[in-house]
Each structure stands twice: as C-alpha cells, then as structure tokens.
Amino acid sequence: RYSNTRAYSQSKLANIFHAKELAMRFKVLGAATTCYAALHPSLKDVTGQYFVDSNKSNCSAYGRDPELAHKLWTFSQDFIDKHSPS
C-alpha cells in the first residue's frame, strides 16, 4: 500500500544515498555553496536564486524559463496523480 509518509521518508533516504555516493566518487566535491546559501544570515529572505562558488549567479536560459518550470511542475503533478493509488 502507498503511504505518503513512507514515500517521503524513502525520497529523503534516496537523497542521503545519492550524496554519499557522490562524495565517494568525487572526493573533491564540496557543499560549501549549498551550506552558504542555506545558512548565511544575509540570505535569510533570498529564494529562487542560483549560486556558484558561494556567489549569486545566472543559470542557463533554460533554467530561467518560467514556462518550462511550469510545464515540468504540471507534468510531475499529473504523473503523480495518475500513478498514485487513490
């Protein structure tokens, strides 16, 4: 049976496994930018920004396209709705 809580827990576990595997494969891979963006007080009210080497940056044109973001969101929601047990 499908359980929202179990699915959420499994997705978080998958994130942990992914991060651990990345760390093993790419020893020089760091989390400085992620930690900076998540914890620095000056970024308290900053959302939806892209950072590189702990500096705000511009992502690709695709990454700035709100229509593509909306299409992905809609596709994902439709997929979940279609494949989740009621």
Side-chain angles (χ1 to χ4, degrees):
R1 287 180 23 184
Y2 180 81
S3 163
N4 290 343
T5 304
R6 185 172 179 180
Y8 177 80
S9 297
Q10 288 175 337
S11 73
K12 296 297 121 189
L13 182 58
N15 288 342
I16 291 167
F17 287 155
H18 183 76
K20 287 183 178 278
E21 186 66 21
L22 279 173
M24 290 296 293
R25 290 175 183 243
F26 305 103
K27 299 257 185 226
V28 297
L29 181 65
T33 299
T34 300
C35 291
Y36 171 76
L39 302 171
H40 199 279
S42 69
L43 300 176
K44 178 182 168 209
D45 297 319
V46 174
T47 64
Q49 297 295 314
Y50 181 73
F51 286 80
V52 174
D53 295 330
S54 298
N55 293 296
K56 201 182 308 186
S57 186
N58 289 318
C59 57
S60 70
Y62 288 119
R64 295 188 306 268
D65 187 329
E67 185 177 334
L68 286 177
H70 180 75
K71 283 181 180 180
L72 176 60
W73 184 275
T74 302
F75 172 83
S76 299
Q77 188 64 58
D78 290 344
F79 185 88
I80 290 168
D81 292 343
K82 185 176 180 181
H83 292 89
S84 295
S86 297

